[in-house]
Amino acid sequence: MTVATDTAAVAAGDTPATPRAVQAPLGRMLWSEVTWVLRRPRTIVSLALLGLVPIVVAIGVLVADRGQARAPGSDGVFTSIAGNGLMLPVIALSVCLALLLPLVGAMSAADALAGEAAHGTLRALLIAPVSRVRLVGIKAFGVAAVVLTAATVIAVVGVVTGLVLVGSHGMVTFSGTSVSLGSALVRVLVATLWATVQVWAVAAVALAVSAFTEHPLVVMAVTLAGAIVFGVLSSIPSLDWLQPFLLTEGWPSILDVLRDPMPTTGLLDGVWRAGCYLLIGLSVTLARVVTKDG
């Protein structure tokens, strides 16, 4: 019936209708991408290693403390965890934010585009009946899911480890005040989301680099080198005019959630700065992928 119809249309001088490609629902594609990236062996190993960080910190604090009571914040950040277990997830996030979380974000971004190009699967994705804008959005969503999962693993393991190994019925802040268990968990949630946004910015820059190369190791090296350079620049007093533009400048502000009342200036500045990097990274990625010819 279809052949006869098309033949009649050609005989009449009309162009037969071209069948339109049917795209999968966006929700199904996002879910497929997330399940795919989270099932990668290197992703699972990375999440497991990140989950060990709060445990190692807690054991180290218990061994170093040896039952001696200390005032919160008197001998440093780590000794404040002793007898104050709900500080553990925030401090673990602070430790991982210095290197490990950006490494996970860079690794995921490198696999998203450069890894696909290295395995020859990116070309098939580019010629598939899916808009390149949607392709970038799906890849970015997968990277964001990995980063959020990594930060959540640190926070959850930190809370459980802090309550079980260290013990706590609330939180004694750096200011010397006590907050309830519910308020402490809210502060942990704020720290988790804040750290996630910061690493999203790093991953967005890594995704932009990933769009220009076929070598995932190059993406990771460039991203981590950039983070190290930013850290060095932020420590030079003569470059204080440049520091407000450096992404890593506000990362110590995550510890502000452990103060009472909680200062919000540093946290909001960090979110604003990360948002700018996130927008720039995704814009560069989109511009590259849209114009990519193969």
Side-chain angles (χ1 to χ4, degrees):
M1 180 68 68
T2 303
V3 176
T5 303
D6 290 344
T7 302
V10 172
D14 298 332
T15 302
T18 303
R20 298 179 59 185
V22 179
Q23 295 185 0
L26 179 60
R28 184 186 303 174
M29 298 176 70
L30 293 175
W31 176 253
S32 176
E33 179 70 15
V34 169
T35 54
W36 166 249
V37 297
L38 291 180
R39 287 186 300 179
R40 287 172 176 163
R42 51 184 169 271
T43 302
I44 297 175
V45 171
S46 300
L47 295 177
L49 293 177
L50 288 175
L52 289 177
V53 172
I55 300 176
V56 172
V57 172
I59 294 175
V61 168
L62 290 176
V63 172
D65 183 67
R66 297 183 182 278
Q68 298 178 2
R70 294 182 176 90
S74 60
D75 296 326
V77 173
F78 288 97
T79 54
S80 301
I81 302 175
N84 198 15
L86 288 179
M87 273 193 175
L88 178 61
V90 178
I91 294 177
L93 283 169
S94 176
V95 171
C96 293
L97 187 59
L99 180 62
L100 296 180
L101 278 174
L103 178 61
V104 171
M107 179 188 69
S108 180
D111 286 335
L113 293 178
E116 296 276 7
H119 290 88
T121 54
L122 183 60
R123 182 183 298 273
L125 293 175
L126 292 176
I127 63 177
V130 178
S131 69
R132 298 192 176 192
V133 175
R134 173 175 285 200
L135 174 63
V136 172
I138 292 172
K139 291 298 181 181
F141 185 82
V143 174
V146 173
V147 173
L148 178 60
T149 303
T152 303
V153 167
I154 297 173
V156 172
V157 175
V159 169
V160 174
T161 304
L163 294 177
V164 173
L165 293 184
V166 182
S168 178
H169 299 288
M171 175 188 291
V172 180
T173 65
F174 288 157
S175 305
T177 59
S178 298
V179 297
S180 64
L181 176 62
S183 179
L185 293 177
V186 170
R187 291 169 181 261
V188 172
L189 177 61
V190 171
T192 304
L193 296 178
W194 192 87
T196 300
V197 172
Q198 302 304 308
V199 183
W200 277 350
V202 176
V205 175
L207 197 63
V209 178
S210 183
F212 286 88
T213 182
E214 297 181 357
H215 305 284
L217 290 179
V218 172
V219 179
M220 298 174 63
V222 170
T223 305
L224 294 182
I228 294 173
V229 170
F230 276 22
V232 172
L233 293 177
S234 64
S235 64
I236 301 177
S238 59
L239 296 179
D240 54 352
W241 58 271
L242 182 63
Q243 293 173 3
F245 302 98
L246 302 178
L247 177 61
T248 58
E249 172 65 18
W251 284 1
S253 298
I254 190 175
L255 295 178
D256 286 347
V257 303
L258 299 178
R259 295 179 171 88
D260 188 33
M262 184 172 62
T264 58
T265 302
L267 296 173
L268 293 178
D269 287 345
V271 171
W272 169 255
R273 191 180 298 112
C276 293
Y277 276 87
L278 185 64
L279 180 61
I280 293 173
L282 292 179
S283 298
V284 173
T285 303
L286 184 61
R288 173 57 178 166
V289 173
V290 168
T291 58
K292 193 176 181 67
D293 56 358

